[in-house]
């Protein structure tokens, strides 16, 4: 195994212009089998900024014990400022999955701050990769699957009743006074096939799955097709997720009327 530390280098430009209204987009690094995400937010008063290092993985029951050292470069201090912290990153415990530090505006030089993260992984488990949804359930020629959805170049055989239970839009489409009611093939426009499959993951009766990587698309489709359970599940996921900044969460809460996320 490679025991060399992971070194992430993050250059923050225009540091003097940072504010609660003008935040940096998050930077993502894929190293050591994990996704590392750096972000920065203003502290109370505005003289300090708190930066975060978040660890993510698209699997379940993963963990990563790491010794993380933060090093500031290009500062007005006599020497490079550093901070070291032992971190416990693991799925489902986002509060513990954050390493944080802070810098003062006065530390910047030429409107820049350069932060180096030195990550020494002590132990880790990569967990269980989520199993893909079994599309044969939808594609098999059984009596329950009574409609073919045409999504782009793909065809998906599925049950009208199954979709109608989860979606008032599909309920009206298939059982209301609409042309689709008696059709065996229905075209779903303005939908990406892979994103619709992610939506099916979210309503799977066996193992519902929503991930940070797909949640925005799933939320948009859940809202479009009026799947209230999906919207509630995505809101709960966003509340606990540290992958999105407060500004990003606020924008999503306004767009999709997620009152709990706004608090």
């Amino acid at each position: 195994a490679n025991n060399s530390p992971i070194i992430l280098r993050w250059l923050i430009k225009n540091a003097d212009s940072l504010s609660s209204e003008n935040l940096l987009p998050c930077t993502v690094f894929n190293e050591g089998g994990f996704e590392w995400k750096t972000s920065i937010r203003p502290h109370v008063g505005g003289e300090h900024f708190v930066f975060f290092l978040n660890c993510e993985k698209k699997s379940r029951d993963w963990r990563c014990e790491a010794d993380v050292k933060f090093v500031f470069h290009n500062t007005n201090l006599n020497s490079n400022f550093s901070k070291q912290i032992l971190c416990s990153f693991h799925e489902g415990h986002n509060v513990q999955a954050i390493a944080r530090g802070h810098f003062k505006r006065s530390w910047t030089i030429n409107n820049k701050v350069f932060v180096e993260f030195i990550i020494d992984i002590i132990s880790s488990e990569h967990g269980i990769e989520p199993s893909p949804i079994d599309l044969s359930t939808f594609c098999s020629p059984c009596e329950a699957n009574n409609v073919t959805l045409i999504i782009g170049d793909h065809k998906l055989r599925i049950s009208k009743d199954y979709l109608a239970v989860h979606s008032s839009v599909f309920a009206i489409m298939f059982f209301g006074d609409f042309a689709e009611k008696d059709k065996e093939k229905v075209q779903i426009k303005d939908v990406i096939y892979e994103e619709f499959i992610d939506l099916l993951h979210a309503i799977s009766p066996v193992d519902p799955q929503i991930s940070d990587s797909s949640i925005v698309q799933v939320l948009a489709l859940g809202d479009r097709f009026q799947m209230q359970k999906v919207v509630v599940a995505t809101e709960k996921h966003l509340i606990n997720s540290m992958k999105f900044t407060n500004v990003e969460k606020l924008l999503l809460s306004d767009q999709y009327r997620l009152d709990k996320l706004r608090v």
Side-chain angles (χ1 to χ4, degrees), residues 58-69:
K58 297 176 183 178
S59 63
R60 292 176 294 167
D61 301 325
W62 64 269
R63 67 173 186 83
C64 178
E65 302 289 333
D67 190 26
V68 180
K69 184 177 182 180

Side-chain angles (χ1 to χ4, degrees), residues 52-257:
F52 300 85
L53 176 66
N54 189 31
C55 181
E56 288 286 346
K57 189 167 180 62
K58 297 176 183 178
S59 63
R60 292 176 294 167
D61 301 325
W62 64 269
R63 67 173 186 83
C64 178
E65 302 289 333
D67 190 26
V68 180
K69 184 177 182 180
F70 308 90
V71 181
F72 292 95
H73 299 276
N74 289 341
T75 71
N76 282 329
L77 302 179
N78 293 329
S79 60
N80 289 338
F81 174 81
S82 65
K83 177 181 179 181
Q84 195 159 348
I85 184 172
L86 184 65
C87 300
S88 175
F89 303 99
H90 49 108
E91 183 260 341
H93 292 77
N94 289 310
V95 173
Q96 297 183 38
I98 306 171
R100 68 180 70 192
H102 71 274
F103 72 88
K104 297 180 180 180
R105 288 183 184 272
S106 58
W107 292 1
T108 63
I109 286 183
N110 297 325
N111 204 15
K112 297 178 182 178
V113 172
F114 181 62
V115 185
E116 193 173 48
F117 302 88
I118 303 172
I119 306 166
D120 188 6
I121 296 179
I122 301 170
S123 64
S124 65
E125 293 179 5
H126 290 274
I128 304 170
E129 295 293 334
S131 56
I133 195 167
D134 184 8
L135 294 181
S136 63
T137 303
F138 306 116
C139 301
S140 59
C142 67
E143 185 177 345
N145 296 333
N146 50 10
V147 67
T148 299
L149 301 183
I150 301 174
I151 307 173
D153 296 328
H154 300 271
K155 295 181 180 180
L156 186 65
R157 190 71 176 172
I158 197 168
S159 165
K160 291 181 179 180
D161 300 86
Y162 182 76
L163 289 177
V165 166
H166 295 279
S167 164
S168 57
V169 170
F170 282 120
I172 295 173
M173 180 187 298
F174 295 138
F175 300 103
D177 191 18
F178 287 88
E180 291 84 358
K181 179 179 180 180
D182 299 318
K183 288 184 176 181
E184 292 188 1
K185 295 182 180 180
V186 176
Q187 185 176 17
I188 306 298
K189 298 181 180 180
D190 302 321
V191 172
I192 298 173
Y193 176 77
E194 289 76 13
E195 294 179 359
F196 194 83
I197 297 303
D198 286 333
L199 182 66
L200 293 181
H201 274 281
I203 62 174
S204 170
V206 179
D207 184 20
Q209 297 175 14
I210 298 175
S211 66
D212 281 328
S213 60
S214 66
I215 192 168
V216 174
Q217 294 84 359
V218 170
L219 176 57
L221 290 177
D223 181 73
R224 170 179 169 178
F225 294 114
Q226 296 181 19
M227 296 181 168
Q228 186 58 30
K229 287 186 178 180
V230 171
V231 173
V232 170
T234 53
E235 181 178 30
K236 182 178 179 180
H237 185 100
L238 283 167
I239 290 172
N240 295 319
S241 174
M242 292 304 300
K243 190 177 181 69
F244 299 88
T245 66
N246 287 341
V247 173
E248 290 170 329
K249 290 182 180 182
L250 183 61
L251 291 173
L252 288 171
S253 69
D254 288 340
Q255 183 176 358
Y256 296 106
R257 306 168 300 282

